Amino acid sequence: MTNTDTEIEEKLEEEVPGNEKGAIVVHIEHLKKSFGTKEVLKDITFDLKQGENLVVLGKSGTGKSVAIKCLIGMLTQDEGVCEVFGKEVKDLKETELKELRQKIGFLFQSGALYDSMTVRDNLAFPLTRVLHMTDTAEIDKLIEEMLDNVGLKDAIDKMPSDLSGGMRKRIGLARTLIMKPKIMLYDEPTTGLDPITSKEISELMLTMQKKYKISSIIITHDIACARITSDRMVIMKEGVITAEGTFDELESSKDEFVRAFFK
Amino acid sequence: MEQTATSKSTKILEEVGVQMSFMGGFFRNIFRSGFEWNELIRQCYIIGYKSFGLVAITGFILGFVMTLQSIPTMKEFGAVSFVPSMVSISVIREIGPVIISLICAGKIASSIGAELGSMKVTEQIDAMDVSGANPMQYLVVTRIIACTFMIPILCVMADALAVCGGYFGSNISSDVSATLYFNKAFHSVEFSDMVPSVIKSVFFGFAIGFVGSYKGYNSNGGTESVGVAANSAVVNASLWIILLDAVAVQLTSLFVYN
């Protein structure tokens, strides 16, 4: 581990409860969320354990993304419990929420790269703004290491508009992982990609999870991605969880709705 | 009917509340640590330097056209010698700041609205937010401050070019020396004419930056909302400029010219 790694680890490591393997890092219980008269989350309950990859599978519009947005404080639930590292997210103060967000990585569906910046600046942004790193040599070293991890070292000075969809996702993943998060939230990471790139991204997610010992929640409706990445899966239907288990258990389920995903 | 009126007024009040909260966020973030100086300079360059060409041409033609249009009428009254004073006073006091700010509202507010709107739609602002960075400080504060600083500078430069345009306009119909023209033009202008003009252009600049940022930052939905954000940024910023000007004229009439 380099000095830079150690420095970031120290900044992020401070007293994270549930750091031991198997401990519950995310706890969601009876979560409810409505937008106007539309009840999107009706009753969601699940946990995420340390080092685990949890895949949340469901049709579009069933509230999968809403659930993880509650986890990171982008949305506030109407009812229920939404705890990360033992802390209720909606009760956190602004500074506490900011601290929590440093421990959680969020990969958006589109990659959400900053259009006006090069790949280098995209990756440097959280380091300089959030971790307040100033040493450019250290920053460059970290950026190169992270780009090497996602196999895109040559793209360092490219603009996001010069990258393909798959490359954008990889860079997005690198930008998130550069903060060394404890939990990763993936919002449909393989949507819009061809099957080969989709498989590459899924394998990359798994590699990164093992390398950095991250717990992940993966929102998807891509069964191939779920097969590669999942330790455990939950299936959502119209705002409620209808099934839970490993990939193999759910694949052999007799429930027609569950089976429909595996056809 | 009554219910519709109530829901409309509730929506208006909600909108006002959101705008006030956005403005509060702007002022809070100015004084937070980690001010984005580099981004502010970049925005000043984009908003100021890159608008200079348009503003310069507009200012020059404004003075030029005004002179050409007023000379025949002034001739009828035998008051052609007052044309330089008339052009300089009207441009500096009123027309310069208002026209240049309206031009800037079209160019800058729409650009800010569209840029932030597309960042919102493509989840770039959310990505900044969830990473623990402060998008308000990086995107909004820098743009509003850059507008507040650069619009008055652009207005002053446009005023100067309008007076030059007036000189060229005068020389088309008659032969006036530069010394005589500029002497006449500046003799009638006082410091008290410049100050209210600069002060109101500061407010115009703030309105352009604020409205553009607010509309872009709060755009919702798909790509259509980017166009809506850009469009409503121009319309609202222009409206604010005209309203602020009406207030500024009343205040200067009361406290300066009286």
Side-chain angles (χ1 to χ4, degrees):
Chain A
M1 194 176 269
T2 62
N3 282 342
T4 320
D5 285 340
T6 321
E7 196 180 289
I8 293 175
E9 281 296 311
E10 278 169 6
K11 281 183 179 171
L12 296 175
E13 195 87 15
E14 356 101 7
E15 296 164 25
V16 178
N19 231 359
E20 63 279 12
K21 176 95 180 159
I24 290 172
V25 287
V26 169
H27 173 61
I28 285 182
E29 195 177 337
H30 303 305
L31 196 71
K32 289 181 185 177
K33 175 73 186 169
S34 303
F35 295 98
T37 51
K38 196 182 177 197
E39 206 176 4
V40 179
L41 298 181
K42 291 172 184 165
D43 188 3
I44 300 289
T45 301
F46 66 79
D47 290 330
L48 174 71
K49 289 173 191 156
Q50 170 64 34
E52 182 186 37
N53 266 359
L54 175 71
V55 168
V56 181
L57 204 66
K59 288 201 298 183
S60 298
T62 48
K64 307 185 296 290
S65 301
V66 174
I68 57 167
K69 281 180 180 172
C70 288
L71 270 177
I72 201 153
M74 284 172 75
L75 294 170
T76 309
Q77 72 267 32
D78 299 331
E79 281 177 51
V81 177
C82 183
E83 288 178 353
V84 180
F85 298 126
K87 289 178 182 169
E88 174 57 65
V89 179
K90 74 171 180 184
D91 295 338
L92 295 176
K93 290 176 189 155
E94 203 181 329
T95 46
E96 290 172 327
L97 185 63
K98 200 176 166 185
E99 275 171 27
L100 176 73
R101 283 175 171 178
Q102 290 179 28
K103 292 169 195 150
I104 305 176
F106 195 119
L107 182 66
F108 287 86
Q109 202 172 328
S110 58
L113 299 183
Y114 311 135
D115 285 340
S116 58
M117 301 178 198
T118 62
V119 168
R120 183 195 299 272
D121 293 339
N122 261 280
L123 267 73
F125 192 87
L127 296 177
T128 52
R129 266 68 180 196
V130 183
L131 298 182
H132 305 293
M133 288 176 70
T134 48
D135 188 334
T136 39
E138 274 183 37
I139 293 171
D140 282 346
K141 197 177 166 191
L142 262 176
I143 291 170
E144 280 170 24
E145 181 199 322
M146 208 45 75
L147 286 176
D148 199 27
N149 275 336
V150 296
L152 284 174
K153 213 173 170 180
D154 295 339
I156 192 161
D157 289 317
K158 285 189 176 168
M159 294 299 286
S161 53
D162 300 329
L163 305 172
S164 67
M167 287 163 94
R168 281 165 168 256
K169 292 257 168 83
R170 283 166 183 263
I171 301 290
L173 182 60
R175 187 181 65 188
T176 314
L177 289 173
I178 207 164
M179 294 289 289
K180 305 277 160 76
K182 301 288 170 202
I183 300 172
M184 272 298 296
L185 307 174
Y186 298 93
D187 191 4
E188 304 197 2
T190 56
T191 299
L193 299 177
D194 61 87
I196 298 166
T197 315
S198 177
K199 187 170 175 259
E200 283 171 2
I201 295 282
S202 305
E203 283 167 352
L204 182 64
M205 283 158 55
L206 195 64
T207 312
M208 292 297 110
Q209 185 247 342
K210 283 180 180 157
K211 184 170 181 180
Y212 295 106
K213 298 177 183 65
I214 304 166
S215 318
S216 313
I217 297 180
I218 301 152
I219 301 290
T220 187
H221 42 67
D222 176 5
I223 202 71
C225 170
R227 178 182 286 120
I228 295 168
T229 55
S230 69
D231 292 323
R232 194 163 57 92
M233 291 169 64
V234 292
I235 296 187
M236 274 178 73
K237 183 187 178 185
E238 291 165 6
V240 291
I241 287 174
T242 54
E244 189 174 349
T246 62
F247 186 90
D248 294 334
E249 284 167 0
L250 292 176
E251 195 176 23
S252 55
S253 166
K254 288 192 172 64
D255 187 311
E256 267 193 36
F257 180 78
V258 174
R259 288 177 64 84
F261 284 100
F262 294 86
K263 279 176 187 168
Chain B
M1 191 84 159
E2 201 177 299
Q3 223 172 8
T4 320
T6 316
S7 85
K8 266 188 183 174
S9 44
T10 311
K11 270 188 182 172
I12 292 169
L13 285 173
E14 269 177 14
E15 178 71 13
V16 171
V18 175
Q19 286 196 20
M20 287 299 111
S21 144
F22 191 76
M23 193 177 283
F26 161 71
F27 284 112
R28 268 199 312 278
N29 279 291
I30 294 176
F31 304 106
R32 280 209 177 141
S33 62
F35 189 84
E36 298 281 351
W37 290 105
N38 288 341
E39 180 62 9
L40 176 66
I41 291 164
R42 196 175 79 89
Q43 288 304 323
C44 286
Y45 170 77
I46 293 168
I47 289 163
Y49 180 76
K50 290 207 166 176
S51 306
F52 179 69
L54 176 69
V55 165
I57 292 168
T58 309
F60 186 84
I61 291 175
L62 193 71
F64 181 77
V65 169
M66 226 176 128
T67 306
L68 287 184
Q69 296 277 22
S70 50
I71 282 175
T73 317
M74 298 297 262
K75 249 184 193 164
E76 281 180 29
F77 294 98
V80 181
S81 61
F82 286 103
V83 169
S85 315
M86 191 204 74
V87 169
S88 59
I89 288 177
S90 52
V91 163
I92 290 170
R93 277 191 188 177
E94 180 61 27
I95 299 172
V98 173
I99 297 286
I100 297 307
S101 299
L102 287 173
I103 293 278
C104 288
K107 184 183 182 290
I108 298 163
S110 63
S111 135
I112 294 175
E115 189 187 5
L116 296 191
S118 68
M119 285 186 82
K120 181 80 178 177
V121 168
T122 54
E123 298 174 314
Q124 292 174 50
I125 294 179
D126 290 337
M128 266 185 207
D129 203 14
V130 297
S131 72
N134 187 341
M136 192 81 180
Q137 197 171 36
Y138 182 75
L139 299 170
V140 175
V141 170
T142 51
R143 277 164 179 77
I144 297 180
I145 292 180
C147 282
T148 312
F149 273 119
M150 297 317 290
I151 300 295
I153 294 172
L154 288 172
C155 286
V156 171
M157 288 198 294
D159 288 349
L161 284 162
V163 176
C164 295
Y167 168 68
F168 278 92
S170 296
N171 270 282
I172 282 179
S173 52
S174 57
D175 190 22
V176 185
S177 76
T179 318
L180 178 66
Y181 181 88
F182 286 109
N183 255 336
K184 282 262 182 195
F186 290 120
H187 184 70
S188 50
V189 179
E190 288 175 15
F191 189 65
S192 61
D193 292 313
M194 281 301 292
V195 175
S197 162
V198 171
I199 292 174
K200 74 179 172 188
S201 59
V202 168
F203 283 95
F204 294 163
F206 179 81
I208 291 168
F210 179 79
V211 172
S213 302
Y214 173 77
K215 291 290 174 186
Y217 201 87
N218 291 291
S219 60
N220 279 312
T223 44
E224 193 192 350
S225 67
V226 178
V228 173
N231 184 273
S232 60
V234 178
V235 173
N236 283 278
S238 305
L239 197 65
W240 270 109
I241 287 165
I242 290 161
L243 288 172
L244 286 168
D245 187 52
V247 175
V249 166
Q250 289 298 317
L251 290 175
T252 43
S253 304
L254 273 174
F255 298 110
V256 182
Y257 304 127
N258 267 351

